[in-house]
Amino acid sequence: MRPSRELVAFISTMPSAADVVRAMDEISDTVCSVVDSAELCRHTHPDREYVEEANKASLRINEYLHYLNTDHSLYDAVKKAEREGNSLTEEAQRAAHNLRVDFEKGGIHLCEEKLDRVNQLNIEIAQLCRQFGENIINDPGYVDVFPTSRIPKQLRHLCKPIYQSSSRESTALSKSGYHMKERGFRISTEPSALSSVLQCTADEEVRRMAYIKGNSVPHGNLHVLDRLIAARHELARITGYRTYADFVVKQNMASSPKVVASFLLEMSEIVKDKADEEFEAIWRVKREKCSPTAHLEPWDEAYYTALMKSSAFNLDSSVVASYFPLPQCIEGLKILVKSLFGAKCCNIPMAPGESWHPDVLKMSLHHPEEGDLGILYLDLYSREGKYPGCAHFAIKGGRRISDNEYQLPVVALVCNFSGSPNSSIARLNHWEVETLFHEFGHALHSLLSRTDYQHFSGTRVVLDLAETPSNLFEYYACDFRVLKTFAKHYSTGEMIPEKLVESMQAARKMFAATELQRQIFYASIDQTLFGEEAASPRDTSLVVADLKRQFTSWKHVEGTHWQARFSHLLNYGAGYYSYLYAKCFAATIWKKVCQDDPLSSATGTALRTNFLRHGGAKEASVLLNDLVGGGILKKRDGGIVPDIASLCEEMNVVCDVKLTEGKICGLLDQSKLLSASIHPSIRDVGSPP
């Protein structure tokens, strides 16, 4: 690998278009290797010294990026390469075009004063994103519950014992200096713990306290978010875009916020009646359990939906989890790779100092004919100070080095699964199994791509395609033909019963409209916050409250500000709608390509050769059509939206497309929804994502 300075000097001599693209990609590969490794270290390493050094490395590389992004000799060479595109391969042409667009989004074509301001804003935005994430980790919130009997036994491993003076102690005892202590629990309201409390706790007051606290921290992020919105809006305006949403969406399949808005409204119209029916069903159960006058509150949703699923399908979450010990789930991933792609995931030892924690596993993806395809690290157990969610980290992208040499991709999957009570081995609930398969879908996208340039390696695709493989592999986590290959009882070894899987599948669909409505709500928040033209930012809590009433069946709880821990606003700012695009695309791919025989080599070949291997080297619409053969997307207002027929069929929702599109046009004309003005009409989503 040549030093970046040498490459910059080489590009400045204006070599051939192919040499420019290749050298630019090599620079990008060098920089990304540092940035991506530092990001993984910052989020996962248990040693604070390493984390601080990763922070310093990240800051230094950002300074170097500023130097590269303001180098006009590089920009001029890239423009020349794009003009000479006829001499390039199709992938090289796309790379030259994307590089030129990236330079201009960085403001290089602007006057010196504006360029300096763009660079200041990019640094500020990076710092604000980092602060937002750190605040979530450092201020997870907590509630104190007395007495301990109010917390279910299955949640007590999440709790810290605490004590307070008993209100029942007598005056005589107090005067004697002897104080009775009442034992209680302090329970964190970080997202995974909050989800467990809301789902499993019968005591409504405990749920209420946890919900309000969990959706009201960290308070400091409200100010951080205001500054982030303002900085991104200014960046967009300086670089020639109307809003930050325009800045982000322009290069995606959707192409404009208007197309995104129409898609969200279309989905909302389709799902509304069924979501309202589900809301009424939940409310009915609460009234039966409590009183005829009981109100349905946002902190009731997770509890009563879990209760209803369990009752309807005789499901016990602990029984389900007993079939999914984490080591068996990892074996399931290996079986999946072998069946679909004829490759093996082989555990391999790490070099001294290579691993950042003893729990981390390292695997190579090996094909008997093609050799090694890439390296995968698995860091799956929760621990203090670790990144709190689940994510796929690209450490090194794949790229063609020469005719007979390929740089193998290296990725890491990071999750936060907790060991089961009385066992160090995690037993996953089914939602966690889906999450693991989701992240593995991202990993396969990276590991199986074979692009000439790392610029297009794996998940480096347009934003509204990126979540498609991960959503597709969630289907594999729900199909009995797949589950029976690895889901075995942790103590007896018994294969998971087919009837249990059928119940799990039915339970998963039971409140599908409510879940889809929640995702539409999240996407509408994201589009609205980054799609405003107002000179000063609006109160984000009011925006969230208004959108909740408009897009969901649930009310907003005054004083809460859930958006302060919505970390997708950082890396998916103005792009969260991509999850809904992916949900639609994945439903169609599953139905037309995978459903008949999900584990066959023919299915794997279709997925790999027509889709996964190309990363972002081809147009997203071309990839999707090549894989499915049509009927997966539609053109609308100069952009592309997914065909929703397969998802509607899966959810048992009937959609009259022409009628719906007519309604959408009317709604868009009347309200200019998702722009600066929002109608205060709608209802609150009970659970954090």
Side-chain angles (χ1 to χ4, degrees), residues 602-646:
T603 298
T605 298
L607 291 175
R608 187 181 179 192
T609 58
N610 294 329
F611 188 39
L612 298 174
R613 73 171 291 113
H614 300 290
K618 287 187 175 184
E619 289 284 347
S621 58
V622 172
L623 287 173
L624 292 167
N625 281 323
D626 284 351
L627 176 61
V628 173
I632 192 169
L633 45 82
K634 299 182 292 185
K635 293 183 178 179
R636 180 181 295 172
D637 293 329
I640 291 171
V641 297
D643 186 290
I644 61 175
S646 294

Side-chain angles (χ1 to χ4, degrees), residues 399-413:
R399 68 187 181 100
R400 176 71 52 198
I401 296 174
S402 65
D403 289 342
N404 54 9
E405 187 178 3
Y406 194 83
Q407 176 176 291
L408 296 180
V410 181
V411 299
L413 292 191

Side-chain angles (χ1 to χ4, degrees), residues 402-464:
S402 65
D403 289 342
N404 54 9
E405 187 178 3
Y406 194 83
Q407 176 176 291
L408 296 180
V410 181
V411 299
L413 292 191
V414 176
C415 294
N416 272 277
F417 303 132
S418 298
S420 304
N422 306 317
S423 171
S424 61
I425 296 176
R427 295 178 205 144
L428 308 189
N429 61 48
H430 190 240
W431 180 83
E432 290 174 320
V433 177
E434 287 184 69
T435 299
L436 178 63
F437 275 66
H438 176 104
E439 299 302 340
F440 192 64
H442 283 309
L444 288 175
H445 201 183
S446 292
L447 294 170
L448 295 176
S449 76
R450 282 300 177 268
T451 56
D452 288 343
Y453 304 104
Q454 69 84 38
H455 188 84
F456 295 128
S457 178
T459 56
R460 289 166 181 166
V461 297
V462 291
L463 197 60
D464 42 17

Side-chain angles (χ1 to χ4, degrees), residues 69-368:
N69 290 335
T70 55
D71 190 319
H72 279 82
S73 65
L74 297 181
Y75 176 54
D76 292 340
V78 165
K79 286 196 297 182
K80 180 174 178 290
E82 186 180 17
R83 287 195 302 269
E84 298 172 357
N86 290 338
S87 66
L88 300 173
T89 65
E90 180 185 347
E91 184 176 341
Q93 288 178 40
R94 282 178 57 77
H97 171 75
N98 285 10
L99 287 165
R100 194 260 303 164
V101 170
D102 288 344
F103 267 116
E104 290 174 0
K105 289 180 82 171
I108 197 168
H109 59 301
L110 303 173
C111 68
E112 187 174 347
E113 181 182 355
K114 287 184 176 180
L115 177 56
D116 285 343
R117 181 57 183 154
V118 166
N119 286 316
Q120 290 170 10
L121 287 167
N122 279 322
I123 292 170
E124 181 184 351
I125 287 166
Q127 291 171 340
L128 289 169
C129 288
R130 183 167 298 178
Q131 186 179 346
F132 192 99
E134 288 175 354
N135 286 349
I136 291 173
I137 294 172
N138 296 331
D139 184 14
Y142 63 86
V143 291
D144 292 341
V145 179
F146 293 93
T148 57
S149 58
R150 298 175 73 187
I151 298 293
K153 289 182 179 179
Q154 69 264 37
L155 297 184
R156 293 184 183 180
H157 66 289
L158 301 173
C159 303
K160 176 183 176 183
I162 54 173
Y163 299 88
Q164 69 177 5
S165 297
S166 173
S167 59
R168 295 187 298 273
E169 66 184 37
S170 69
T171 305
L173 285 173
S174 297
K175 288 180 178 178
S176 71
Y178 177 78
H179 297 275
M180 293 178 65
K181 296 288 186 181
E182 183 179 29
R183 189 169 182 263
F185 284 129
R186 173 166 291 178
I187 187 162
S188 166
T189 55
E190 59 86 18
S192 61
L194 175 61
S195 178
S196 297
V197 171
L198 293 175
Q199 187 175 65
C200 302
T201 307
D203 189 318
E204 182 174 351
E205 178 59 18
V206 173
R207 295 200 308 271
R208 186 192 70 82
M209 290 190 301
Y211 177 92
I212 291 174
K213 173 58 75 171
N215 287 284
S216 303
V217 290
H219 193 271
N221 271 353
L222 290 176
H223 179 56
V224 175
L225 182 56
D226 285 343
R227 290 169 60 199
L228 179 62
I229 291 168
R232 282 177 166 174
H233 183 68
E234 185 183 351
L235 172 68
R237 295 306 293 264
I238 291 175
T239 51
Y241 294 85
R242 187 177 63 88
T243 68
Y244 186 71
D246 290 276
F247 179 88
V248 170
V249 177
K250 176 69 174 176
Q251 306 306 318
N252 296 344
M253 282 188 284
S255 82
S256 75
K258 180 183 177 183
V259 172
V260 176
S262 71
F263 169 71
L264 294 179
L265 280 167
E266 177 185 24
M267 295 294 288
S268 182
E269 281 292 308
I270 289 167
V271 81
K272 184 182 186 304
D273 288 346
K274 189 169 184 182
D276 284 345
E277 289 174 11
E278 292 174 358
F279 179 88
E280 290 296 328
I282 300 167
W283 195 1
R284 216 165 29 245
V285 170
K286 184 177 182 183
R287 289 197 299 263
E288 290 169 1
K289 294 273 181 191
C290 299
S291 78
T293 59
H295 294 288
L296 189 60
E297 305 290 353
W299 49 83
D300 293 325
E301 182 190 349
Y303 177 73
Y304 282 103
T305 54
L307 201 66
M308 292 165 73
K309 289 178 179 182
S310 176
S311 174
F313 304 107
N314 194 27
L315 280 176
D316 182 325
S317 59
S318 64
V319 171
V320 173
S322 68
Y323 289 96
F324 294 111
L326 183 53
Q328 279 298 118
C329 293
I330 295 171
E331 286 304 308
L333 301 180
K334 293 180 179 180
I335 292 168
L336 187 64
V337 166
K338 176 69 174 172
S339 298
L340 282 173
F341 309 115
K344 286 185 178 181
C345 281
C346 308
N347 289 11
I348 54 176
M350 288 191 239
E354 181 180 358
S355 176
W356 56 95
H357 192 274
D359 287 342
V360 178
L361 298 176
K362 182 181 181 182
M363 296 179 182
S364 68
L365 186 63
H366 181 84
H367 193 279

Side-chain angles (χ1 to χ4, degrees), residues 380-398:
L380 303 180
Y381 284 94
S382 63
R383 58 180 177 270
E384 189 175 352
K386 181 183 172 185
Y387 174 78
C390 299
H392 158 269
F393 287 84
I395 301 172
K396 187 179 287 292

